[in-house]
Amino acid sequence: MLDVSDLTVAYGQAVALDQVSLTVPERSITAVLGANGAGKTTLVRTISGLVRGRGGSVRLDGLDISRLAPERVARLGIAHVPEGHGVVTELSVEENLRLGSMASRGGGVRQALEESYELFPPLRSRRRLSAASLSGGERQMLAIARGLAAHPRLLLLDEPSLGLAGQVLQQIMSKLRSLVADRGLTVLLIEQNARSALSVADDAVVLALGQVVAHDRAAKLAADRDLLGTYLGF
């Protein structure tokens, strides 16, 4: 579905991604793991059109999207949930969801709202409250629900574990797995919490200093103690 080939991104003289290549199969979860500064966020920002690559390509079903504006990338069915929850705190829960549904590729606003509340029940009772009043876990639920309100084919999810309690994170990861099974969603999951990500991912990529150091089935990487210890700190 998504093919990244020899992608190079630099900020001035600092190279953030150095000839990165990876594939994201349709209807699966691919985890991208690595320490701070590994290039994970730069990768998803480049895929979504927010950052321009210096070389290489990003292709969605064979179409080169490397030079497309973010709004055109979104219209092709890619939703980006950025690090830090990505909600408009001044708006209510429902207003955030309505905003997300404006880019919907199928179904109306009412359908998008109902799907969001079914997926994350705590949001229903808080729909009239401002996003600023939500807990960290609730904000992450809202951010993901807002991204899904557009009915994307591919969800780029950046560091959903940040600031979340273990139980809440487990719930969110379980929801992702069900979305792949029930809706045919494809997910590129950016994470520092390797254990959590590997528990739900089909495939995994490990980045270190902007380079791919491993790309394999998630279960295989989860069993590689040397790799996990060297690049992921455990």
Side-chain angles (χ1 to χ4, degrees):
M1 181 184 194
L2 183 76
D3 291 287
V4 177
S5 179
D6 295 325
L7 185 63
T8 298
V9 179
Y11 301 105
Q13 297 301 311
V15 177
L17 296 176
D18 185 8
Q19 296 187 314
V20 166
S21 296
L22 59 92
T23 58
V24 180
E26 192 172 15
R27 296 171 178 255
S28 70
I29 299 176
T30 299
V32 178
L33 313 173
N36 281 332
K40 305 187 302 298
T41 292
T42 295
L43 175 63
V44 289
R45 285 175 60 82
T46 305
I47 293 170
S48 64
L50 296 171
V51 173
R52 285 280 181 264
R54 181 175 288 182
S57 65
V58 179
R59 294 182 179 274
L60 180 69
D61 291 332
L63 174 67
D64 192 339
I65 63 172
S66 307
R67 300 292 169 181
L68 297 185
E71 57 271 22
R72 290 195 61 192
V73 173
R75 284 199 294 269
L76 290 172
I78 298 179
H80 181 190
V81 179
E83 178 182 349
H85 306 319
V87 300
V88 183
T89 55
E90 295 82 5
L91 299 181
S92 70
V93 167
E94 188 158 300
E95 287 168 340
N96 268 278
L97 294 173
R98 287 179 178 276
L99 191 63
S101 69
M102 290 174 64
S104 177
R105 302 172 61 255
V109 174
R110 190 179 299 278
Q111 178 183 339
L113 291 175
E114 190 56 36
E115 288 174 348
S116 298
Y117 297 143
E118 287 181 5
L119 184 62
F120 296 114
L123 298 180
R124 187 186 297 274
S125 62
R126 293 160 175 76
R127 63 186 183 276
R128 304 298 183 195
L129 301 179
S130 74
S133 69
L134 302 181
S135 68
E138 290 166 347
R139 284 196 196 188
Q140 191 58 270
M141 292 177 190
L142 176 58
I144 295 172
R146 194 177 81 162
L148 293 171
H151 293 101
R153 298 175 57 213
L154 172 64
L155 181 68
L156 308 176
L157 187 54
D158 194 359
E159 299 282 11
S161 69
L162 285 180
L164 298 189
Q167 185 175 7
V168 175
L169 177 60
Q170 186 176 10
Q171 291 173 353
I172 288 176
M173 291 299 183
S174 177
K175 295 290 187 183
L176 289 179
R177 193 68 259 176
S178 67
L179 286 167
V180 172
D182 299 339
R183 297 192 193 179
L185 183 68
T186 304
V187 181
L188 184 63
L189 173 63
I190 306 301
E191 259 300 342
Q192 263 190 286
N193 189 327
R195 293 188 189 280
S196 178
L198 290 171
S199 71
V200 297
D202 300 287
D203 300 291
V205 177
V206 180
L207 289 180
L209 299 177
Q211 296 183 322
V212 174
V213 295
H215 186 183
D216 213 325
R217 299 295 289 176
K220 185 174 180 179
L221 293 185
D224 191 334
R225 293 178 178 270
D226 290 338
L227 178 77
L228 297 179
T230 299
Y231 296 107
L232 304 173
F234 64 88

